[in-house]
Amino acid sequence: MVRQPKRIDTQDIVPPADVALLRQACPDLDEWPQRWQCDAADLAPGAAIVATFTPFLLDLLRGALAKRTFNRHRDNLWLVGGEMIRRRYDDPALKRLPAEQLVRRLIDADGGPLISSQISEAEQNAVDATCRKLHQFLTQSNAVERLKATHKFR
């Protein structure tokens, strides 16, 4: 029996006004975990990775990016998510990490994980550019959250 992946409830992580925008730009976003999976146990981590990527995708959509540029970043994130699921099999320590920590472990200021040998050096450079942008977004978002948590605004 093939288990259907749980549909990502974007209402939990995306304001209702942005749901249509996200669905239009990423119509297959809910299918990413199923496409990445090696077995059924990969669906939940895959969905959590998508949930980690979603605020960044929305930030890109709100920016003044050309559609082609946005699509390139979206497609690169799809590659990175699949690589993260694959890496969980190679490194048992990664398998135990929550999705947000996995993303932060594999993506840094220098780029992202080396995607399997199926892509060219130019394509890997594009993936790294997306990962640097994601890292910057996560770092800034984390700083804002820490600021909100430590300062009471009147």
Side-chain angles (χ1 to χ4, degrees), residues 62-81:
R62 291 181 191 124
L65 297 177
K67 183 177 180 179
R68 185 173 170 184
T69 302
F70 171 81
N71 289 345
R72 184 181 70 241
H73 287 307
R74 179 201 59 209
D75 295 348
N76 289 339
L77 285 176
W78 185 85
L79 286 171
V80 169

Side-chain angles (χ1 to χ4, degrees), residues 53 80 84 102-109 111-113 131 134-135:
F53 288 168
V80 169
M84 288 179 175
L102 177 66
V103 169
R104 290 180 185 273
R105 172 89 48 98
L106 295 178
I107 293 175
D108 60 28
C131 290
L134 173 60
H135 174 74

